[in-house]
Amino acid sequence: CRAAGAYDGWLRSALLRYKSGDASVVAGLRNVLSSVMDATAPTFVIPVPSSTTKVVERGYDTIALLTKDMHTSRVPLLRLMREPDDQVGLTALQRRDNVHQAMRCSRAITGSVLLVDDVVTTGATLVEAARALRVAGASQINAICVCAAQIKG
């Protein structure tokens, strides 16, 4: 996964505001995210799905809004089949188990995919998303994110 920056400083502050319901920072976060996109256009740009609970809490889907101008599909191609628990405070193993078999594609996918997430901590969510995309037929999967957390320990 290519990250635009580390999960600290002003980027962390902006992302936390955004994930707490302040959509006013989305344009700046989109600019940051666009810095890690390469010139090769994938067949699909697919946002990692947000839980229904979080979408209702915030009033918007953070990743879908962040990637709004990056993809053309109005139908979510990658869906949560069940609501995983909130990942905050979970270990890497707990995160992996939490999202295991949680995603599925709504249709067959052919070609290359650019998977987009906001924060990557352990990579468990991206691994699960990539698994679902491979099952659906994606031939090449790359991922970008706004920022990546530094794992301690």
Side-chain angles (χ1 to χ4, degrees):
C1 177
R2 289 186 316 250
Y7 186 60
D8 62 13
W10 69 269
L11 191 52
R12 179 179 184 272
S13 296
L15 198 57
L16 286 174
R17 281 180 48 202
Y18 181 59
K19 291 179 81 156
S20 295
D22 182 359
S24 69
V25 298
V26 71
L29 292 172
R30 277 187 194 135
N31 285 339
V32 169
L33 186 61
S34 69
S35 73
V36 292
M37 291 189 72
D38 62 24
T40 308
T43 309
F44 298 97
V45 175
I46 300 180
V48 169
S50 297
S51 75
T52 303
T53 303
K54 290 295 183 182
V55 171
V56 169
E57 227 174 71
R58 296 175 180 133
Y60 55 90
D61 182 329
T62 55
I63 310 304
L65 184 58
L66 190 64
T67 61
K68 183 178 151 201
D69 298 329
M70 295 178 186
H71 60 95
T72 57
S73 176
R74 296 292 172 235
V75 177
L77 298 176
L78 187 60
R79 297 179 180 205
L80 287 173
M81 300 312 296
R82 62 176 175 77
E83 291 274 326
D85 294 331
D86 194 329
Q87 302 264 72
V88 174
L90 298 182
T91 66
L93 182 58
Q94 289 169 327
R95 285 171 182 251
R96 187 194 72 201
D97 291 345
N98 187 41
V99 296
H100 180 70
Q101 299 285 318
M103 296 180 207
R104 184 175 302 152
C105 288
S106 59
R107 67 178 185 86
I109 303 285
T110 56
S112 61
V113 170
L114 179 62
L115 191 57
V116 183
D117 205 353
D118 53 5
V119 180
V120 172
T121 305
T122 64
T125 302
L126 288 178
V127 168
E128 170 57 19
R131 180 207 59 78
L133 291 164
R134 277 192 303 277
V135 167
S139 60
Q140 181 181 3
I141 303 165
N142 293 303
I144 62 172
C145 64
V146 174
C147 50
Q150 298 294 323
I151 305 300
K152 296 177 177 131

